[in-house]
Amino acid sequence: MAQCVQSVQELIPDSFVPCVAALCSDEAERLTRLNHLSFAELLKPFSRLTSEVHMRDPNNQLHVIKNLKIAVSNIVTQPPQPGAIRKLLNDVVSGSQPAEGLVANVITAGDYDLNISATTPWFESYRETFLQSMPASDHEFLNHYLACMLVASSSEAEPVEQFSKLSQEQHRIQHNSDYSYPKWFIPNTLKYYVLLHDVSAGDEQRAESIYEEMKQKYGTQGCYLLKINSRTSNRASDEQIPDPWSQYLQKNSIQNQESYEDGPCTITSNKNSDNNLLSLDGLDNEVKDGLPNNFRAHPLQLEQSSDPSNSIDGPDHLRSASSLHETKKGNTGIIHGACLTLTDHDRIRQFIQEFTFRGLLPHIEKTIRQLNDQLISRKGLSRSLFSATKKWFSGSKVPEKSINDLKNTSGLLYPPEAPELQIRKMADLCFLVQHYDLAYSCYHTAKKDFLNDQAMLYAAGALEMAAVSAFLQPGAPRPYPAHYMDTAIQTYRDICKNMVLAERCVLLSAELLKSQSKYSEAAALLIRLTSEDSDLRSALLLEQAAHCFINMKSPMVRKYAFHMILAGHRFSKAGQKKHALRCYCQAMQVYKGKGWSLAEDHINFTIGRQSYTLRQLDNAVSAFRHILINESKQSAAQQGAFLREYLYVYKNVSQLSPDGPLPQLPLPYINSSATRVFFGHDRRPADGEKQAATHVSLDQEYDSESSQQWRELEEQVVSVVNKGVIPSNFHPTQYCLNSYSDNSRFPLAVVEEPITVEVAFRNPLKVLLLLTDLSLLWKFHPKDFSGKDNEEVKQLVTSEPEMIGAEVISEFLINGEESKVARLKLFPHHIGELHILGVVYNLGTIQGSMTVDGIGALPGCHTGKYSLSMSVRGKQDLEIQGPRLNNTKEEKTSVKYGPDRRLDPIITEEMPLLEVFFIHFPTGLLCGEIRKAYVEFVNVSKCPLTGLKVVSKRPEFFTFGGNTAVLTPLSPSASENCSAYKTVVTDATSVCTALISSASSVDFGIGTGSQPEVIPVPLPDTVLLPGASVQLPMWLRGPDEEGVHEINFLFYYESVKKQPKIRHRILRHTAIICTSRSLNVRATVCRSNSLENEEGRGGNMLVFVDVENTNTSEAGVKEFHIVQVSSSSKHWKLQKSVNLSENKDTKLASREKGKFCFKAIRCEKEEAATQSSEKYTFADIIFGNEQIISSASPCADFFYRSLSSELKKPQAHLPVHTEKQSTEDAVRLIQKCSEVDLNIVILWKAYVVEDSKQLILEGQHHVILRTIGKEAFSYPQKQEPPEMELLKFFRPENITVSSRPSVEQLSSLIKTSLHYPESFNHPFHQKSLCLVPVTLLLSNCSKADVDVIVDLRHKTTSPEALEIHGSFTWLGQTQYKLQLKSQEIHSLQLKACFVHTGVYNLGTPRVFAKLSDQVTVFETSQQNSMPALIIISNV
């Protein structure tokens, strides 16, 4: 239980006090009424004695009574009605609320920190009033009247006669059988005569004389002269006289103003109150006890029904003279005791002392002695005689029921003079004067007698008081008999069916147990008495039980909370809304945040309802908000109910302040960080053959890799525009801002271009939410960025459509547990700073049909127009937390977040806006296929644009044509077979020889220093005016690898008028091309061995080309025709085709392979000037009757593009060591000998059957030949992953890379050729030695001087070699040393000597060479590979 102001040792003597009746004449009553008090009320504040009192017990021992208090009350002849008592108790509880600024105790139990009010003053007030208002009953005498004060006024005509009348009236009330109420303790009640004298108005002499007369008649002990009203009430009070009455009267006033002021009565009752959405009782509308539970009938109104505890039915309205049931007139301005001075207060106090000392206590003492004497005389008789006497005495005593029913009844009813009752009387008297030892022994004796007689009601009363007496005995001679109390409670409740007495018993017992710290037993006791017959009692007892649980040695927090909830529920049913709300709020501390979501929902729901009933609307809103924003585990129906309650309450709140700020709505959830902002118009859909550039849209998912690629492309083009330097203030253009983009700067938006904000909503409930009139909330500062700011920057909000237009979504449905995005647009019409603050909308819900606020069924949601009676207007802020900062040490050690400015765009001046459309753009190509498409550029803004460029990572994929593009056909249909190439019909005779043309790479945008990826778009006049559009041809070539290719184009353009904020704009396009296999081309080049150079010196080469058709005809390709092979090089050109077979057919069906051989020669012009220029010689060898001019667009474009992309690939450079510099140079020169820069272009046509029509596709493949003897491919080779090796750990040393050139490179340094007759006839019989002249031609292939050593000695020692070649000898010098100049050819005349006929290999000379300025000698030993066979025959 909660802490109390009084200890139990003070509480019980104050609760059971001697009762004194007061009977006043009308005149006496008038005198006291001048103070707005009755006589009994006048005495109330002074009814406690200020000093100890002494009396003697029957054994003549002196007994001390401390703090004795007496209760004086006016005589009321009707018992109080149960309904009135209930109403009084209800008002007492509702009038006692926790003090406003009260600091609650903080109790820490386990991991709970609870704020709990330690005291419960409402419970104490209830208990005090309950004990005072208990009606007197026959089985006990504690509240029977012991004495009666007869009060008359000195101003009456015959006061003494008046006293006689009053005395007779008292006698009649006590002894006439018509009056069963009030109850009197003993037949000869003490009468005490009081003469009231009004000092200010009365005659003091007369009063004194009357008093003397009274003393003569009634004795000095039996009368008193009380002087009051020493001042007149109308005189202005100079001194402040204290008012000790108000605290007593306030407590007992039935009509307590405070409880009505904010109670339910302020709510106007409407006709629909029964189906009001929020019924104003607590949790349900059911009538649980016999009281109507809605606000029109107060839960404690007076009613006819009789209480089971009292068999007497009184009329509804009784004349209550008792202060207990007095209805105060309720204006709190009344001053009580206005005519009384402090002297009068002392006189009243003195009067009470005199009455108690001289009248009451002697009377009690005498009565106890009399009763004691009877008791002793009874003990002296023999048992049998006494039982006979008892029968004679109690002749009128009859059992109420037959003996079988005894167990179920309260047993017998004793007549007033029954000896058992005399013992009880004596016990009660002793108890009232705090003589607990004697009281206990008397109760104990009485208990036995009553139990013997099966008088259960009497026995229960004796048991109850025996237990209390035993507890209160000084020195505690015996333990507290708790079982007495348990038996008494059980008897009252189950046998006697008297809940009032049972309740008193429980209240006392719980208090006694609490004082012994037996909280567990006290709680069990309190809980046992909760029942359906009284909600108020159950609520108070449950609350006290909860306090027991929390006050235990180890607090039981959850039990506390659970019982607080039960108490709150019962308070609510009893109409005690404030207490109900308080209980729920205290319990909530325990349930909050523990994951018991259903319990939390229930508590929040109840708190919301109770707060609403008490008009605490803000609390109601926040409680309902909690139910909705936590992840609810409720059923959909329950969630729907919660939501409707919430909307209803919110609606009421918003109606109170319609002009106030918009409230924050809790639903739906907004994932602020997922908010995306898009600047610009929506993309146009594809229109027939026209396909708009993909650009950026909100439908695209964010991909960090691609956004990095776009950033690099933009940086590339910006650096080209700014002559290779990226400006310091450059930031990549961001059209779509999301949580991954860099939002640390204010984004730039362009005036008249829409801003789209995508808000991510999530509905956490299982019920559908309807948002209507959804739009963005913003504020705007208009500014002038060009000059200084406007003098005043006015702050505008949503009501300025001429500044910012806003799109409103009329209906936006979010299904249960759905996440959905809303895209809201703003249209800026003015430059300035825009701040997007949040979203504003009406929140509502739809249900098939439901009754809301008594409206009846709402239209179903299928109509699309939903009645908005149940929706509330509110907003939600969009607050985005920026990224966590992690750069400086301070930021790393603390949690700091940077700004996120994606919702704060700066609106800048007009800019041009480009739209790009692709016409006839293919989605599928063969590898290497050339296709012509068109691109349309449209300027849709009001500003001209210029500086249009396109940048792509795959420049080899497309071309707008070079400077020679004007020579190409205007449209695809202009030439034969709709070719995309520039063609010339040729003469059949010139078939196998090459047609020569030349072109400069500069014409095709591939300059020496430029970046091939950045391509200027050839706009006419380089400017695109507002509204203008331009169509340009664009050739595409299918990438060489099969598969799906994503090709990114970034179009860059600028405004003609330079803008300070935005320098340029970009447009993105991603093309997706699927390529399928076509041809594989591989080629090698090797030196021709013949040294006869038709074209002069410089050497010839043979080019071998293998073409394989790898198409698996999935694209419907029938066959490929090789129509032309072209070469392109600065130094070499193809001269003629040397195919051995005369068959000129160049068709390749599926999986066929064709071989071609071409002779290549050096170009004639070899001046240094030409070498450095970017001029390439193109040579075309045609296999058809049409020449494709390979040096024109688009063939040359794609050739140059592939060449530049090839050049970009990293080449393997040997590391340079300075100390070996000379060797490196030598190796480099030797390597150059084997290098060749010959590029082959294979042009083809493919015949495709599609939908029974034959199409001709055309294309080209490139092979770049760099090294003699090394195979080159048209398609990229897959790198074989290296095999896994064991990891080796070693100390790195200076390992010098061997700088010996490879065998292939050496073999190219010096070219050797032997000239000799193929067969030689010699008459061996004439001459045994055969001499054959042989010429050895040495050709220096390098550009440097070379020292050559020719060694003719045979080195072969193995016998196999001898057998194969046979043996011969070189005659003459065995070694020659020569120096060959750059590209010089030298011939040596040798002689070979043979002694036998046979076939001989002359290729035995070994040639060593070294560069003239080098030391190292290298052997060129390639001659072994080709045998020079000679046949020697005999003639």
Side-chain angles (χ1 to χ4, degrees):
M1 291 174 78
Q3 297 168 15
C4 291
V5 179
Q6 287 181 307
S7 70
V8 68
Q9 280 78 6
E10 297 167 325
L11 168 73
I12 292 174
D14 272 9
S15 305
F16 298 98
V17 293
C19 293
V20 179
L23 197 56
C24 301
S25 68
D26 292 345
E27 184 60 28
E29 191 68 31
R30 188 188 66 77
L31 282 185
T32 57
R33 280 284 163 215
L34 292 173
N35 296 295
H36 300 109
L37 297 164
S38 69
F39 180 71
E41 289 170 349
L42 183 73
L43 304 183
K44 203 164 215 96
F46 311 103
S47 58
R48 188 186 294 282
L49 300 187
T50 51
S51 57
E52 290 182 353
V53 196
H54 302 274
M55 65 174 279
R56 294 197 175 271
D57 63 9
N59 300 332
N60 222 16
Q61 296 291 319
L62 198 65
H63 171 61
V64 180
I65 307 170
K66 294 178 181 173
N67 285 334
L68 182 63
K69 182 180 164 191
I70 62 169
V72 181
S73 55
N74 294 349
I75 290 182
V76 180
T77 55
Q78 290 287 358
Q81 232 199 343
I85 294 176
R86 278 209 294 272
K87 181 168 180 351
L88 171 67
L89 292 172
N90 203 51
D91 292 343
V92 163
V93 172
S94 63
S96 174
Q97 298 290 342
E100 276 304 311
L102 188 70
V103 179
N105 287 21
V106 176
I107 294 181
T108 304
D111 50 355
Y112 296 94
D113 285 332
L114 308 178
N115 280 333
I116 294 171
S117 60
T119 58
T120 48
W122 48 92
F123 171 70
E124 291 174 51
S125 303
Y126 170 86
R127 185 176 59 194
E128 184 184 337
T129 311
F130 171 78
L131 291 171
Q132 284 176 6
S133 64
M134 279 196 73
S137 58
D138 291 329
H139 77 288
E140 63 180 18
F141 306 95
L142 288 162
N143 53 359
H144 290 197
Y145 286 133
L146 276 163
C148 181
M149 291 180 182
L150 304 170
V151 189
S153 166
S154 62
S155 60
E156 293 189 47
E158 292 291 338
V160 180
E161 195 179 311
Q162 186 65 42
F163 278 126
S164 301
K165 280 183 186 171
L166 290 171
S167 181
Q168 286 163 16
E169 173 77 2
Q170 188 275 329
H171 191 272
R172 194 171 60 80
I173 289 172
Q174 182 171 356
H175 294 292
N176 191 334
S177 60
D178 294 348
Y179 294 99
S180 61
Y181 199 86
K183 308 284 185 189
W184 302 89
F185 209 100
I186 47 177
N188 55 337
T189 304
L190 167 69
K191 292 177 183 171
Y192 196 76
Y193 300 89
V194 182
L195 182 65
L196 268 188
H197 173 62
D198 188 325
V199 176
S200 59
D203 180 353
E204 191 136 348
Q205 292 293 315
R206 182 168 185 260
E208 289 291 349
S209 67
I210 294 168
Y211 182 48
E212 286 303 320
E213 196 181 330
M214 284 166 65
K215 282 202 274 193
Q216 296 297 318
K217 188 172 182 183
Y218 305 121
T220 52
Q221 310 289 326
C223 58
Y224 194 82
L225 171 61
L226 178 57
K227 297 178 181 179
I228 59 167
N229 297 359
S230 295
R231 62 177 183 169
T232 50
S233 58
N234 55 11
R235 195 181 63 194
S237 60
D238 342 323
E239 48 180 333
Q240 278 291 316
I241 303 289
D243 177 5
W245 292 274
S246 56
Q247 55 177 325
Y248 295 97
L249 300 178
Q250 189 74 25
K251 205 178 278 183
N252 298 333
S253 150
I254 291 178
Q255 201 173 23
N256 191 330
Q257 290 310 304
E258 185 202 354
S259 64
Y260 284 90
E261 272 163 17
D262 45 8
C265 300
T266 53
I267 298 167
T268 49
S269 156
N270 63 353
K271 287 186 182 134
N272 291 330
S273 59
D274 282 338
N275 38 348
N276 211 333
L277 185 67
L278 262 177
S279 59
L280 295 166
D281 60 285
L283 296 165
D284 43 26
N285 289 334
E286 295 165 30
V287 178
K288 280 278 168 67
D289 34 6
L291 305 172
N293 229 350
N294 61 16
F295 65 84
R296 287 175 298 170
H298 194 283
L300 288 162
Q301 69 178 10
L302 297 176
E303 55 189 340
Q304 279 307 121
S305 66
S306 66
D307 198 63
S309 64
N310 216 305
S311 56
I312 302 156
D313 278 355
D316 240 352
H317 303 287
L318 44 135
R319 178 186 163 274
S320 317
S322 157
S323 67
L324 223 54
H325 307 131
E326 183 95 357
T327 305
K328 290 290 158 216
K329 289 296 166 278
N331 57 339
T332 50
I334 291 179
I335 300 169
H336 303 290
C339 303
L340 301 176
T341 61
L342 288 176
T343 317
D344 291 337
H345 290 196
D346 291 340
R347 285 178 186 144
I348 298 169
R349 202 175 280 114
Q350 186 62 38
F351 158 64
I352 294 287
Q353 296 270 86
E354 285 292 313
F355 165 70
T356 311
F357 286 11
R358 307 258 176 117
L360 185 61
L361 283 177
H363 175 68
I364 290 174
E365 199 174 312
K366 189 175 85 176
T367 309
I368 290 176
R369 281 179 192 281
Q370 286 173 357
L371 290 168
N372 189 51
D373 292 345
Q374 284 181 26
L375 196 58
I376 288 170
S377 62
R378 173 189 154 182
K379 275 183 180 167
L381 297 169
S382 71
R383 191 76 189 147
S384 57
L385 178 63
F386 179 68
S387 58
T389 319
K390 195 162 95 173
K391 276 178 190 159
W392 175 69
F393 259 123
S394 57
S396 61
K397 177 172 76 176
V398 287
E400 281 230 308
K401 305 269 172 81
S402 68
I403 201 77
N404 295 334
D405 294 338
L406 262 182
K407 290 276 181 284
N408 303 325
T409 68
S410 46
L412 307 167
L413 287 174
Y414 292 101
E417 64 279 3
E420 291 88 346
L421 289 189
Q422 307 311 313
I423 305 175
R424 170 74 208 230
K425 268 184 190 173
M426 180 176 164
D428 284 351
L429 267 179
C430 295
F431 190 84
L432 290 174
V433 294
Q434 303 174 14
H435 201 316
Y436 298 119
D437 295 349
L438 192 50
Y440 175 75
S441 60
C442 293
Y443 283 132
H444 201 268
T445 310
K447 174 200 71 160
K448 287 181 182 169
D449 290 346
F450 294 141
L451 284 173
N452 286 338
D453 290 342
Q454 288 287 306
M456 298 313 291
L457 180 63
Y458 296 88
L463 280 165
E464 175 187 4
M465 296 319 291
V468 177
S469 305
F471 177 81
L472 290 173
Q473 277 178 359
R478 54 178 62 80
Y480 165 62
H483 58 288
Y484 280 15
M485 276 294 196
D486 294 345
T487 310
I489 294 166
Q490 204 173 344
T491 307
Y492 282 142
R493 194 183 62 189
D494 301 340
I495 297 175
C496 308
K497 303 283 188 265
N498 190 325
M499 290 305 285
V500 177
L501 291 169
E503 182 178 353
R504 180 184 74 184
C505 212
V506 165
L507 292 175
L508 294 175
S509 181
E511 203 57 52
L512 300 178
L513 289 166
K514 183 186 92 172
S515 68
Q516 302 168 66
S517 298
K518 294 182 176 172
Y519 287 108
S520 181
E521 292 88 333
L525 196 61
L526 291 161
I527 293 165
R528 205 183 313 156
L529 201 70
T530 56
S531 62
E532 286 301 314
D533 65 328
S534 168
D535 287 317
L536 184 64
R537 179 186 69 230
S538 301
L540 288 159
L541 296 185
L542 283 165
E543 186 182 10
Q544 292 308 308
H547 278 282
C548 287
F549 289 123
I550 203 75
N551 284 323
M552 287 180 177
K553 204 172 209 171
S554 52
M556 300 172 84
V557 181
R558 290 199 290 274
K559 271 202 156 154
Y560 160 79
F562 181 65
H563 285 85
M564 277 310 247
I565 294 288
L566 296 177
H569 177 58
R570 298 306 287 269
F571 269 131
S572 177
K573 285 175 73 177
Q576 297 282 351
K577 305 296 178 194
K578 286 189 176 178
H579 286 297
L581 181 57
R582 181 183 47 73
C583 288
Y584 275 102
C585 289
Q586 293 206 335
M588 189 60 179
Q589 299 178 81
V590 175
Y591 287 107
K592 194 166 55 185
K594 293 289 180 298
W596 297 331
S597 62
L598 296 179
E600 268 190 78
D601 288 352
H602 169 77
I603 297 169
N604 272 317
F605 182 66
T606 312
I607 289 175
R609 275 201 157 178
Q610 300 290 9
S611 302
Y612 177 79
T613 310
L614 294 168
R615 309 310 287 163
Q616 299 175 5
L617 296 179
D618 289 346
N619 290 357
V621 163
S622 82
F624 280 122
R625 186 187 175 95
H626 272 294
I627 306 179
L628 298 174
I629 61 176
N630 293 335
E631 294 294 336
S632 175
K633 296 188 174 63
Q634 301 283 4
S635 66
Q638 189 66 53
Q639 288 181 354
F642 285 163
L643 181 59
R644 290 194 298 280
E645 297 265 357
Y646 171 76
L647 294 174
Y648 180 78
V649 173
Y650 228 132
K651 206 165 178 59
N652 283 12
V653 175
S654 55
Q655 280 165 2
L656 292 180
S657 55
D659 302 329
L662 280 174
Q664 288 280 350
L665 294 176
L667 290 173
Y669 288 0
I670 291 181
N671 181 358
S672 288
S673 64
T675 305
R676 298 195 296 164
V677 185
F678 175 69
F679 301 101
H681 296 279
D682 292 341
R683 179 177 171 243
R684 288 197 202 171
D687 174 21
E689 285 295 315
K690 266 194 182 185
Q691 180 193 350
T694 54
H695 195 42
V696 186
S697 79
L698 285 169
D699 299 325
Q700 296 164 1
E701 289 296 318
Y702 175 80
D703 175 17
S704 60
E705 207 172 305
S706 75
S707 68
Q708 179 62 30
Q709 279 180 16
W710 288 116
R711 185 179 301 128
E712 287 169 7
L713 286 174
E714 189 176 354
E715 283 176 4
Q716 227 174 337
V717 68
V718 167
S719 77
V720 167
V721 169
N722 289 286
K723 304 186 175 49
V725 182
I726 294 178
S728 58
N729 61 351
F730 164 75
H731 299 295
T733 309
Q734 299 186 118
Y735 283 112
C736 183
L737 301 178
N738 50 32
S739 51
Y740 305 105
S741 55
D742 175 13
N743 305 323
S744 57
R745 289 177 308 282
F746 293 105
L748 299 174
V750 177
V751 72
E752 302 299 346
E753 290 187 20
I755 299 169
T756 309
V757 179
E758 182 184 89
V759 184
F761 290 112
R762 181 169 73 83
N763 178 3
L765 304 182
K766 300 185 180 79
V767 289
L768 176 145
L769 291 179
L770 174 73
L771 311 187
T772 52
D773 298 340
L774 170 64
S775 64
L776 289 169
L777 196 62
W778 47 267
K779 69 177 182 189
F780 182 65
H781 301 280
K783 283 202 176 169
D784 179 13
F785 289 115
S786 54
K788 58 183 192 318
D789 286 4
N790 291 350
E791 288 310 308
E792 54 171 325
V793 174
K794 51 183 178 178
Q795 191 162 338
L796 299 170
V797 278
T798 49
S799 56
E800 291 282 341
E802 66 273 7
M803 286 288 184
I804 304 282
E807 178 191 32
V808 178
I809 297 178
S810 59
E811 285 191 354
F812 188 73
L813 280 171
I814 311 177
N815 292 320
E817 297 183 329
E818 181 189 19
S819 295
K820 193 171 178 183
V821 294
R823 290 180 184 165
L824 296 157
K825 286 199 173 86
L826 292 177
F827 303 94
H829 304 310
H830 197 285
I831 61 173
E833 291 175 9
L834 177 64
H835 300 281
I836 299 165
L837 305 175
V839 285
V840 57
Y841 55 92
N842 298 319
L843 173 64
T845 182
I846 297 179
Q847 223 173 349
S849 71
M850 57 183 183
T851 306
V852 178
D853 205 5
I855 299 163
L858 287 166
C861 52
H862 61 272
T863 59
K865 288 292 164 225
Y866 166 70
S867 154
L868 288 182
S869 60
M870 270 307 292
S871 71
V872 290
R873 187 125 185 105
K875 64 173 183 182
Q876 277 201 69
D877 293 338
L878 287 171
E879 290 169 351
I880 306 175
Q881 188 179 54
R884 184 169 171 189
L885 300 173
N886 204 20
N887 300 326
T888 64
K889 185 181 177 185
E890 183 191 351
E891 286 168 358
K892 284 177 182 170
T893 51
S894 60
V895 179
K896 284 189 179 176
Y897 294 93
D900 191 301
R901 301 211 165 98
R902 66 183 101 155
L903 295 174
D904 303 319
I906 292 174
I907 314 297
T908 65
E909 292 170 16
E910 273 192 316
M911 283 289 290
L913 187 61
L914 176 72
E915 283 194 0
V916 178
F917 298 96
F918 296 89
I919 303 162
H920 301 302
F921 200 88
T923 52
L925 291 172
L926 293 172
C927 291
E929 181 190 344
I930 306 286
R931 190 81 66 89
K932 187 174 188 180
Y934 287 86
V935 192
E936 185 175 11
F937 297 98
V938 187
N939 181 356
V940 293
S941 68
K942 295 177 182 170
C943 306
L945 68 86
T946 184
L948 180 57
K949 293 180 173 46
V950 61
V951 58
S952 172
K953 281 267 187 289
R954 304 282 294 272
E956 69 274 14
F957 168 68
F958 70 99
T959 178
F960 290 107
N963 296 347
T964 57
V966 284
L967 309 171
T968 59
L970 292 176
S971 69
S973 58
S975 79
E976 187 189 337
N977 292 337
C978 306
S979 172
Y981 289 113
K982 181 183 177 187
T983 55
V984 176
V985 179
T986 56
D987 186 14
T989 54
S990 62
V991 173
C992 286
T993 54
L995 299 166
I996 310 298
S997 60
S998 69
S1000 169
S1001 62
V1002 182
D1003 293 341
F1004 295 92
I1006 312 293
T1008 42
S1010 74
Q1011 286 207 345
E1013 289 94 340
V1014 181
I1015 299 158
V1017 176
L1019 285 179
D1021 308 329
T1022 68
V1023 171
L1024 196 56
L1025 295 172
S1029 70
V1030 169
Q1031 268 196 23
L1032 293 175
M1034 181 187 211
W1035 287 270
L1036 308 169
R1037 177 177 180 270
D1040 287 317
E1041 294 167 74
E1042 68 167 329
V1044 178
H1045 301 268
E1046 261 193 28
I1047 296 161
N1048 292 335
F1049 297 93
L1050 184 134
F1051 295 94
Y1052 165 102
Y1053 57 99
E1054 297 171 5
S1055 173
V1056 173
K1057 183 179 145 199
K1058 290 282 176 274
Q1059 295 284 12
K1061 293 269 180 194
I1062 306 181
R1063 297 287 177 83
H1064 67 271
R1065 300 193 85 177
I1066 60 168
L1067 176 72
R1068 302 175 182 177
H1069 176 62
T1070 301
I1072 295 182
I1073 299 284
C1074 182
T1075 54
S1076 45
R1077 286 189 280 190
S1078 56
L1079 299 177
N1080 269 359
V1081 183
R1082 46 178 72 196
T1084 48
V1085 60
C1086 58
R1087 289 191 190 281
S1088 155
N1089 257 353
S1090 65
L1091 281 176
E1092 298 91 27
N1093 188 350
E1094 299 95 334
E1095 303 292 328
R1097 32 199 235 108
N1100 311 340
M1101 285 197 288
L1102 292 177
V1103 180
F1104 297 95
V1105 180
D1106 289 6
V1107 184
E1108 183 187 0
N1109 175 359
T1110 55
N1111 187 285
T1112 49
S1113 36
E1114 66 253 359
V1117 180
K1118 268 199 323 191
E1119 59 186 8
F1120 285 91
H1121 285 213
I1122 310 300
V1123 292
Q1124 182 171 316
V1125 176
S1126 301
S1127 71
S1128 166
S1129 167
K1130 293 181 188 175
H1131 311 118
W1132 296 88
K1133 62 185 180 190
L1134 292 182
Q1135 188 194 27
K1136 59 182 181 185
S1137 164
V1138 288
N1139 267 17
L1140 301 174
S1141 69
E1142 287 304 310
N1143 181 7
K1144 282 180 50 191
D1145 186 16
T1146 57
K1147 296 189 177 75
L1148 293 176
S1150 180
R1151 290 294 174 189
E1152 279 189 351
K1153 194 184 268 190
K1155 271 190 176 300
F1156 298 88
C1157 178
F1158 302 99
K1159 180 177 178 184
I1161 56 172
R1162 279 189 186 276
C1163 303
E1164 299 91 340
K1165 296 177 185 165
E1166 289 184 5
E1167 301 89 45
T1170 320
Q1171 291 281 319
S1172 63
S1173 79
E1174 295 296 315
K1175 203 93 170 147
Y1176 282 75
T1177 303
F1178 289 82
D1180 303 337
I1181 291 178
I1182 303 148
F1183 294 102
N1185 56 355
E1186 210 176 23
Q1187 178 196 358
I1188 295 171
I1189 299 174
S1190 56
S1191 59
S1193 288
C1195 178
D1197 293 83
F1198 288 117
F1199 158 67
Y1200 282 126
R1201 295 275 155 83
S1202 70
L1203 189 65
S1204 67
S1205 65
E1206 189 68 29
L1207 290 171
K1208 274 200 321 189
K1209 290 181 188 165
Q1211 303 297 328
H1213 287 301
L1214 288 171
V1216 175
H1217 297 285
T1218 45
E1219 68 272 14
K1220 303 246 179 181
Q1221 190 65 53
S1222 53
T1223 320
E1224 294 300 331
D1225 292 347
V1227 172
R1228 186 75 206 95
L1229 274 166
I1230 292 166
Q1231 283 171 349
K1232 276 193 84 146
C1233 293
S1234 60
E1235 280 181 10
V1236 61
D1237 60 334
L1238 179 61
N1239 308 297
I1240 305 292
V1241 182
I1242 312 290
L1243 294 116
W1244 49 263
K1245 284 185 179 171
Y1247 290 85
V1248 179
V1249 177
E1250 198 176 90
D1251 302 336
S1252 71
K1253 284 195 304 200
Q1254 178 164 310
L1255 300 175
I1256 301 177
L1257 307 179
E1258 52 196 351
Q1260 65 189 63
H1261 280 78
H1262 313 115
V1263 184
I1264 294 173
L1265 292 164
R1266 297 195 172 238
T1267 311
I1268 294 174
K1270 191 173 176 187
E1271 197 167 29
F1273 303 89
S1274 67
Y1275 52 95
Q1277 293 300 298
K1278 287 193 175 68
Q1279 291 288 320
E1280 285 295 321
E1283 287 184 15
M1284 285 180 71
E1285 293 179 3
L1286 287 173
L1287 204 57
K1288 296 192 181 81
F1289 294 95
F1290 55 87
R1291 183 177 296 147
E1293 292 164 12
N1294 268 343
I1295 302 164
T1296 56
V1297 178
S1298 159
S1299 50
R1300 281 186 68 78
S1302 63
V1303 176
E1304 293 87 358
Q1305 291 165 348
L1306 291 172
S1307 61
S1308 311
L1309 186 60
I1310 298 290
K1311 195 159 93 171
T1312 59
S1313 176
L1314 288 167
H1315 284 236
Y1316 55 90
E1318 281 184 24
S1319 61
F1320 194 86
N1321 295 334
H1322 178 72
F1324 278 100
H1325 56 275
Q1326 294 175 7
K1327 206 172 184 182
S1328 57
L1329 293 179
C1330 169
L1331 301 179
V1332 179
V1334 176
T1335 307
L1336 173 63
L1337 280 179
L1338 299 168
S1339 169
N1340 178 4
C1341 297
S1342 78
K1343 300 279 178 74
D1345 295 354
V1346 179
D1347 293 349
V1348 182
I1349 298 171
V1350 181
D1351 191 352
L1352 298 179
R1353 289 170 296 181
H1354 290 284
K1355 207 178 178 184
T1356 319
T1357 49
S1358 60
E1360 294 90 344
L1362 294 175
E1363 283 169 22
I1364 293 167
H1365 301 305
S1367 186
F1368 73 97
T1369 316
W1370 292 104
L1371 300 181
Q1373 252 176 281
T1374 55
Q1375 206 177 43
Y1376 296 87
K1377 287 190 179 178
L1378 327 159
Q1379 185 178 47
L1380 296 181
K1381 300 281 184 229
S1382 166
Q1383 294 191 334
E1384 181 188 343
I1385 299 173
H1386 185 81
S1387 62
L1388 278 178
Q1389 301 299 329
L1390 309 176
K1391 277 191 183 150
C1393 174
F1394 302 89
V1395 289
H1396 295 290
T1397 56
V1399 179
Y1400 295 90
N1401 180 8
L1402 295 177
T1404 60
R1406 294 167 67 207
V1407 180
F1408 297 91
K1410 76 174 182 63
L1411 297 175
S1412 298
D1413 51 356
Q1414 290 292 318
V1415 186
T1416 325
V1417 176
F1418 306 119
E1419 178 178 10
T1420 64
S1421 51
Q1422 87 282 9
Q1423 295 308 321
N1424 302 344
S1425 59
M1426 289 183 69
L1429 298 178
I1430 186 169
I1431 303 166
I1432 303 294
S1433 46
N1434 192 4
V1435 286

